[in-house]
Amino acid sequence: MTEPTELLPCPFCGAGESQIHVNKGTWNGRGYGEPVSVEVRHWCADVPGQPSRMISRAGRDEASAIAAWNTRTTPQPPRRRPGRCR
């Protein structure tokens, strides 16, 4: 099975901007070390009156970060509490 390379749309806004960001290793005097992690960073489309927020999912490499971003759950119907009238 091949690793996913395409980002799914944002589960909240369905649009916005997504970027892959490599978190570089520490500076060793000659350059940065190996990347520490990779993030998918997403900014939802602007909504008047709402603050701008960034959503991110991280992984050890690009494939695992994309897999984390593309993870979706199946919405569950609300549970009814026993003994309560509606």
Side-chain angles (χ1 to χ4, degrees):
M1 184 171 149
T2 61
E3 292 293 326
T5 57
E6 186 175 319
L7 295 172
L8 293 176
C10 175
F12 300 105
C13 71
E17 178 185 348
S18 298
Q19 298 175 350
I20 303 292
H21 177 78
V22 177
N23 296 312
K24 296 180 181 176
T26 56
W27 180 258
N28 63 16
R30 286 184 253 151
Y32 287 101
E34 291 294 315
V36 177
S37 65
V38 177
E39 286 180 291
V40 173
R41 292 180 174 179
H42 177 80
W43 291 266
C44 290
D46 289 335
V47 175
Q50 298 278 332
S52 176
R53 301 279 184 198
M54 180 184 77
I55 304 166
S56 69
R57 293 294 175 261
R60 294 295 278 161
D61 54 25
E62 186 173 330
S64 62
I66 291 172
W69 174 260
N70 287 344
T71 300
R72 301 291 190 268
T73 61
T74 305
Q76 301 295 317
R79 293 186 339 185
R80 294 184 72 185
R81 292 184 183 182
R84 298 195 80 163
C85 297
R86 290 206 174 208

